[in-house]
């Protein structure tokens, strides 16, 4: 299985721009404006001098298909957006923050999500390194619990406090949802689909995620048999994916199918209905077929 923390070079990428923007951190600034009492501009030096937090958050893409790999887990160092908004003082009626990148991408994030206790940040560090160019250097947003298309603006330069009625983000204007809470998901990572594995004891494993709710239980089903509990690895936080494993003793030669499903922290079972990513995220239980030789 892949490691719990995704190394930066292996972290998935989603970009609307063909060329990675190269921003000079000394020239970077973030304009905070709109429906606020106090408009201001933040410089990179001010960010560095601020009280930063560091947390593990699993980022996932709304266009991830069931079993897909558009998910990554990293330790993000950043400045709480809660503090940015406390300084800006949104006025009555505001319900959304439109974040815009230097490359024209934009995301609409519900205002309350950026003001509650979750670690939504303006991130400047990823896994102990400065944010890589490809992941938004010098500053990007990371918001636990929301798909990237409505929250994770890279190379961010502008935050406008506004309303869902007045403005929309890049993907919303192209047919995707305007809200994007992450749906409970799980996947089988080993064996690989169509792998050939030796008879006897077969190790089965993967990950599950339900950011903001956590994962309480993961079950697997072999060849249409009864659902059985998988062993869960520790939970770093409710905002991170959780690894799971299952040892199948006595696997016989032949072709086998394994399915997985997860329950979130509230005990709610992952949605079984097969749905494509558009407009607000795929659903369905992942299964793979492999051969024991
Ligand atoms: N500027 C910019 N920010 C962006 C995007 C983009 O295309 N351009 N894609 C978004 C989407 S859809 C996702 S899922 C995440 C992916 O972040 P990553 O490329 O660092 O994995 O970034 C978000 N931020
Ligand atoms: Mo995405």
């Amino acid at each position: 299985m892949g490691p719990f923390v995704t190394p930066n070079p292996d972290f998935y990428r989603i970009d609307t721009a063909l060329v990675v923007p190269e921003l000079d951190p000394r020239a970077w600034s973030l304009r905070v404006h709109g429906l606020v009492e106090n408009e201001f501009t933040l410089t990179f030096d001010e960010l560095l001098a601020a009280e930063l937090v560091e947390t593990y958050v699993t980022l996932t893409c709304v266009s991830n298909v069931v079993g897909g790999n558009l998910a990554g887990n990293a330790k993000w160092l950043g400045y709480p957006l809660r503090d940015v908004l406390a300084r800006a003082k949104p006025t009555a009626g505001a319900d959304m923050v439109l974040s815009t990148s230097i490359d024209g991408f934009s995301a609409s994030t519900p205002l309350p999500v950026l003001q509650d206790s979750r670690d939504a940040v303006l991130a400047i560090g990823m896994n102990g390194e400065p944010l890589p160019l490809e992941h938004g250097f010098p500053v990007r947003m990371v918001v636990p619990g929301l798909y990237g298309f409505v929250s994770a603006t890279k190379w961010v330069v502008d935050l406008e406090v506004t309303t869902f009625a007045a403005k929309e983000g890049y993907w919303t204007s192209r047919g995707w949802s305007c809200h994007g809470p992450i749906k409970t998901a799980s996947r089988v990572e080993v064996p690989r689909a169509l792998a050939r594995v030796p008879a006897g004891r077969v190790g089965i494993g993967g990950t599950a995620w339900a950011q903001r709710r956590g994962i309480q239980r993961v079950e697997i089903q072999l060849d249409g048999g009864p659902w059985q509990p998988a062993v869960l690895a520790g939970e770093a936080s409710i905002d991170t994916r959780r690894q799971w494993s299952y040892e199948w003793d006595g696997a016989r030669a032949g072709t086998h199918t394994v399915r997985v499903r997860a329950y979130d922290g509230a005990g709610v079972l992952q949605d079984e209905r097969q749905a494509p990513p558009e407009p607000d995220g795929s659903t369905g239980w992942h299964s793979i077929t492999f051969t024991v030789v």
Side-chain angles (χ1 to χ4, degrees):
M1 280 171 50
F4 173 68
V5 175
T6 314
N8 290 352
D10 301 340
F11 206 96
Y12 80 96
R13 280 177 58 195
I14 301 288
D15 295 309
T16 56
L18 291 176
V19 178
V20 173
E22 290 189 24
L23 297 188
D24 178 351
R26 283 162 305 190
W28 176 89
S29 68
L30 179 75
R31 183 171 169 233
V32 183
H33 64 110
L35 301 176
V36 295
E37 281 175 29
N38 180 34
E39 298 198 347
F40 61 95
T41 298
L42 210 58
T43 66
F44 195 66
D45 278 345
E46 286 170 326
L47 266 193
L48 288 180
E51 189 134 347
L52 304 179
V53 296
E54 197 169 40
T55 44
Y56 289 97
V57 175
T58 299
L59 206 66
T60 46
C61 182
V62 68
S63 47
N64 194 44
V65 294
V66 172
N69 57 10
L70 298 180
N73 187 44
K75 186 171 67 174
W76 306 97
L77 174 70
Y79 182 52
L81 278 151
R82 197 187 314 121
D83 296 345
V84 174
L85 289 162
R87 181 170 162 196
K89 297 195 172 68
T91 53
D95 65 5
M96 187 264 269
V97 174
L98 188 76
S99 53
T100 305
S101 165
I102 192 79
D103 67 11
F105 171 91
S106 59
S108 59
T109 311
L111 177 60
V113 160
L114 302 179
Q115 295 176 305
D116 69 19
S117 62
R118 79 187 74 191
D119 288 321
V121 293
L122 289 172
I124 60 167
M126 182 177 183
N127 291 330
E129 292 170 17
L131 205 57
L133 285 180
E134 298 79 6
H135 295 289
F137 181 85
V139 183
R140 76 171 305 165
M141 291 192 16
V142 173
V143 181
L146 300 184
Y147 290 119
F149 82 115
V150 289
S151 70
T153 304
K154 302 189 276 186
W155 313 285
V156 64
V157 291
D158 190 287
L159 295 184
E160 179 181 0
V161 178
T162 177
T163 64
F164 279 105
K167 296 278 167 81
E168 57 185 10
Y170 183 93
W171 286 113
T172 306
S173 63
R174 287 163 176 80
W176 294 75
S177 172
C178 67
H179 284 93
I182 295 172
K183 298 175 182 176
T184 303
S186 58
R187 69 178 184 212
V188 181
E189 295 175 7
V190 283
R192 303 256 170 253
L194 307 179
R196 296 167 72 81
V197 299
R201 183 183 280 191
V202 175
I204 300 172
T207 50
W209 59 81
Q211 291 90 320
R212 283 284 85 201
R213 301 180 299 282
I215 293 291
Q216 188 179 90
R217 182 180 172 90
V218 171
E219 296 173 335
I220 65 130
Q221 183 189 46
L222 287 162
D223 298 329
W227 286 94
Q228 307 176 60
V231 176
L232 288 179
E235 182 177 69
S237 84
I238 58 170
D239 295 322
T240 55
R241 63 180 171 199
R242 200 149 182 197
Q243 295 175 306
W244 59 267
S245 66
Y246 181 90
E247 278 191 17
W248 186 20
D249 263 327
R252 300 235 196 97
T255 295
H256 301 284
T257 298
V258 56
R259 273 177 112 190
V260 64
R261 66 184 188 186
Y263 295 79
D264 73 11
V268 177
L269 177 60
Q270 181 184 340
D271 194 346
E272 179 180 8
R273 290 167 296 177
Q274 296 285 336
E278 201 165 351
D280 60 3
S282 63
T283 58
W285 296 343
H286 186 219
S287 74
I288 61 121
T289 294
F290 62 98
T291 303
V292 170
V293 293

